[in-house]
């Protein structure tokens, strides 16, 4: 292909749960955040930050596309001439953003710096590639670069009502896949075969993209990062199924449920009960004002109290929205307090190396009075 | 999911067309390139560069994974504790690379800098996120960062015989999809419906991932970056079909062929003949020693000579390998001479705004004596 983008042919044009007015408010808030930090400009390359601020779903590629917010001037979008039509077909057109097009043989960094004028500092989005960030720093006169993460994630971390609706739709879509697990998961099939069925079902359930499929049967369930293998699932296996995708609105799903093929080992049932209590107690503790690390500690203390502390080897959760992993992270050391609208996973796990493992995961939004659950499937072990 | 990766459940574990010995040679060559540049270290985050050097197919996510090559020491891989098993299950294990694991609450940048020791310059891979590159620069004592692109792409740009085989397999897989186009492409269906069929066929043909599907019918063919829409394909439409995916070996396919639903407009046939001559003449000119920009000029001159110069609005091609777009770019201003093993697209286009458009694209490897074609479907207009 001559140009930029991954197709979104499964779900239609970058449908967005936000209105043009919402995008305008986000742009203004980002500009204000930039000014509060004293940055001369804020540069946002293709990715979730750009989609959040403009609705434009461009992929990061070699040609420079970049939103420029600047102190004392209107925002504009640097765009390859070839992609003007694609940019204008996105919400960028309705937003009325000025474009700064550049031709195939021009230097877009120098052209952007000319348009911005002299400044003493600049911030870049956290995912900007070094090959874009370093030329920007140089074209802008070797100004020190800052990471825009603190400003942009402080906006993205608080989900609006429309965004919570989008996360709920994503949650319902992945629930619908878990609901069908009995059709595919049985003794005699390989993890890979089951995963291929799940993949198709994730798309059929209303996602435009499958992001990951983990089917960890028996001993493979003891590695939290196992994905799939050619292992044949056996009678008595506990199976970790952790799956997610992205909807047309751009929001991600992520849900883990536990299955067993017939009766699992007694030892497994013992720690599964502990895990279920830990997960649910952490979910129930969600409310504005509680620090992220406390949610982690609540789950961890219950697991440690039952003697399984050494077998819970990862953080309790991660934020979710336009990315599967974003702020806030539910991890020891993160003293950030939850606020209404924060969205994240709660997914403690217990991993008995060489034998089996278990994880239960829900996406939770912090509501004004407590947790709002984005997933709805039973958290009991599903014996198939 | 608690962790890192997109699943590769469709194609098995990161199968690689390279041997451990090849990976060792690449690591040594990268280290020598680094030393020749006078860089104190070379830092490679997850992505195609890391896969090229180590065979490890990790995705870029928030936790730091990074290959460190350094002057006067063995290379090592910084890896989150949680992902040690995944790293060791990849060719990293057989390579015997040292690991520097870090725990969920440690600062991996400081830990890496301590291991590296004092230095005066550092290079990072071109796709490293700013949120990794800037903390590295700071942890290493505010050393100036360089882009490792020139060193790493000088390795990746020359495909080995095994890599050419992998590109040929990818080319055959996408040929097989074009061969079936008549099953799906017909009047009365929308572009989106056709694209959904193509998507499934791309996977069935042996790719592990569909990268993009462009179905540009009638006037939509006049926008090189059109993907798909709900437009209903009509009798007499010329249709641009530009599709690609990634195989289990990690190599990309990318092929454009032109179709028409019954008899297309006479004007279209007129410029299609010009385009076909331009594309084929540029392909035939491929040989070691010819500058990239000359290949572009050969196609462009033929199109301009026939009076369509203003309608060919993009470069002639891009390199391809572990990424769909990589060096060398076949564009005016690129005086780099082709060498045996360079792999790239040749894809001129003519776009008649509001009416229709055409593009023909092949992946070509520069052989010792001329072009090696990775695609094999007829370049004549396919009238369905």
């Amino acid at each position: 292909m001559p140009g930029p983008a991954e197709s979104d042919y499964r779900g239609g044009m970058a449908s967005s749960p936000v209105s043009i007015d919402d995008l305008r408010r986000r742009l203004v808030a980002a500009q204000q955040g930039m000014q509060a930090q004293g940055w001369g400009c804020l540069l946002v390359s293709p990715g979730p930050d750009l989609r959040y601020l403009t609705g434009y779903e461009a992929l990061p590629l070699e040609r420079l596309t970049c939103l420029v917010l600047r102190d004392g001037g209107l925002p504009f979008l640097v765009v390859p001439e070839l992609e003007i039509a694609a940019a204008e077909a996105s919400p960028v057109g309705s937003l009325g953003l000025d474009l700064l097009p550049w031709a195939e043989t021009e230097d877009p960094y120098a052209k952007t710096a000319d348009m911005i004028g002299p400044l003493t500092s600049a911030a870049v989005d956290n995912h900007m590639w070094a090959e874009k960030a370093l030329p920007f720093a140089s074209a802008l006169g070797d100004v020190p670069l800052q990471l825009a993460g603190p400003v942009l994630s402080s906006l993205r971390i608080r989900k609006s009502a429309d965004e919570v609706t989008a996360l709920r739709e994503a949650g319902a879509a992945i629930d619908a896949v878990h609901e069908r697990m009995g059709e595919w998961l049985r003794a005699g099939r390989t993890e890979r075969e089951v995963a291929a069925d799940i993949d198709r079902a994730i798309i059929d359930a209303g996602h435009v993209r499958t992001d990951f499929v983990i089917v960890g049967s028996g001993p493979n369930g003891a590695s939290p990062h196992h994905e799939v293998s050619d292992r044949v699932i056996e009678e008595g296996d506990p199976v970790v199924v952790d799956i997610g995708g992205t909807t047309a609105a751009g929001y991600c799903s992520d849900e883990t449920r536990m299955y067993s093929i017939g009766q699992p080992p007694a030892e497994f049932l013992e720690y599964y009960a502990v895990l279920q209590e830990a997960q649910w107690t952490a979910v129930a503790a969600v409310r504005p004002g509680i620090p992220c690390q406390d949610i982690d500690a609540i789950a961890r203390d219950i697991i440690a109290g039952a003697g399984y502390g050494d077998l819970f080897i990862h953080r309790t959760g991660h934020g979710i929205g336009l990315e599967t992993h974003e702020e806030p992270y539910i991890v020891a050391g993160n003293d950030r307090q939850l606020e209404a609208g924060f969205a994240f996973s709660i997914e403690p796990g217990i991993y008995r190396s060489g034998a089996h493992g278990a994880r239960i995961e829900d996406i939770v939004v912090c509501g004004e009075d407590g947790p709002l659950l984005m997933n709805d499937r039973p958290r009991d072990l599903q014996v198939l």
Side-chain angles (χ1 to χ4, degrees), chain A residues 214 220-227 240 242 311 313-314 349 351 359:
Chain A
I214 295 175
N220 289 337
S223 166
H225 285 144
H226 174 79
E227 293 167 1
V240 179
D242 183 353
L311 308 185
I313 54 179
H314 55 72
Y351 306 98
R359 184 165 63 253

Side-chain angles (χ1 to χ4, degrees), chain A residues 240-321:
Chain A
V240 179
V241 179
D242 183 353
I243 54 181
T246 301
T247 65
Y251 285 78
C252 300
S253 66
D254 187 356
E255 182 179 17
T256 310
R257 289 293 184 266
M258 288 300 307
Y259 301 87
S260 77
I261 313 301
Q263 195 58 17
E267 186 212 23
F268 175 85
L269 289 173
E270 218 163 278
Y271 71 72
Y272 189 79
V274 173
L275 180 69
Q276 202 174 347
E277 184 198 345
Q279 199 261 353
W280 193 247
T281 307
V283 167
V286 168
R287 61 175 189 278
I290 190 169
C292 291
Q293 62 187 1
D294 288 15
I295 301 292
D296 181 82
I298 287 166
R300 202 166 299 276
D301 287 351
I302 291 172
I303 291 171
Y308 299 106
D310 290 346
L311 308 185
F312 176 18
I313 54 179
H314 55 72
R315 65 190 175 202
T316 292
H318 54 80
I320 190 166

Side-chain angles (χ1 to χ4, degrees), chain A residues 34-57:
Chain A
M34 173 194 81
Q35 286 164 333
Q37 297 284 335
W39 299 331
C41 71
L42 197 170
L43 304 166
V44 184
S45 59
D49 285 331
L50 184 67
R51 186 165 185 183
Y52 181 81
L53 292 173
T54 68
Y56 186 29
E57 198 185 345

Side-chain angles (χ1 to χ4, degrees), chain A residues 4-290:
Chain A
E6 183 170 320
S7 303
D8 202 4
Y9 49 86
R10 297 190 190 95
M13 286 299 287
S15 56
S16 175
V18 295
S19 66
I20 297 299
D21 279 349
D22 279 341
L23 292 173
R24 278 212 185 90
R25 274 190 284 271
R26 291 174 180 180
L27 282 167
V28 168
Q31 178 121 355
Q32 287 169 343
M34 173 194 81
Q35 286 164 333
Q37 297 284 335
W39 299 331
C41 71
L42 197 170
L43 304 166
V44 184
S45 59
D49 285 331
L50 184 67
R51 186 165 185 183
Y52 181 81
L53 292 173
T54 68
Y56 186 29
E57 198 185 345
L59 278 199
L61 278 167
E62 71 282 6
R63 291 189 185 93
L64 180 72
T65 293
C66 190
L67 172 70
V68 180
L69 302 182
R70 51 186 172 156
D71 199 16
L74 287 173
F76 61 91
L77 186 76
V78 184
V79 60
E81 270 186 2
L82 199 60
E83 295 171 27
I84 293 175
E88 286 182 338
S90 83
V92 162
S94 319
L95 267 170
L97 268 187
D98 282 340
L99 300 187
L100 181 69
W102 60 276
E104 205 84 321
T105 52
E106 280 186 298
D107 175 354
Y109 301 95
K111 194 168 184 173
T112 306
D114 278 353
M115 177 65 81
I116 296 175
L119 41 69
T120 54
S121 71
V124 299
D125 74 274
N126 279 40
H127 292 191
M128 185 180 284
W129 288 353
E131 70 173 38
K132 313 285 191 264
L134 299 184
F136 262 134
S138 165
L140 291 167
D142 288 321
V143 297
L145 290 186
Q146 312 292 329
L147 289 174
V151 163
L152 297 180
S153 79
S154 76
L155 301 179
R156 285 176 49 192
I157 201 171
R158 291 182 192 87
K159 269 65 178 178
S160 68
D162 287 344
E163 288 182 286
V164 174
T165 300
L167 282 169
R168 210 183 283 279
E169 285 167 2
I174 206 71
D175 272 348
V177 180
H178 273 293
E179 190 168 3
R180 296 179 56 194
M181 204 56 62
E183 296 176 32
W184 314 304
L185 192 56
R186 57 177 177 271
R189 303 194 77 202
T190 67
E191 292 173 354
R192 197 180 309 279
E193 287 165 349
V194 174
D197 291 332
I198 293 173
D199 174 30
R200 276 186 290 270
I202 287 174
I203 302 299
D204 293 344
H207 299 85
V208 294
R209 189 170 64 236
T210 299
D211 292 325
F212 56 91
V213 177
I214 295 175
V215 179
S217 67
N220 289 337
S223 166
H225 285 144
H226 174 79
E227 293 167 1
V228 297
S229 76
D230 292 313
R231 182 179 185 277
V232 176
I233 295 163
E234 296 173 12
E235 194 65 27
D237 277 348
V239 186
V240 179
V241 179
D242 183 353
I243 54 181
T246 301
T247 65
Y251 285 78
C252 300
S253 66
D254 187 356
E255 182 179 17
T256 310
R257 289 293 184 266
M258 288 300 307
Y259 301 87
S260 77
I261 313 301
Q263 195 58 17
E267 186 212 23
F268 175 85
L269 289 173
E270 218 163 278
Y271 71 72
Y272 189 79
V274 173
L275 180 69
Q276 202 174 347
E277 184 198 345
Q279 199 261 353
W280 193 247
T281 307
V283 167
V286 168
R287 61 175 189 278
I290 190 169

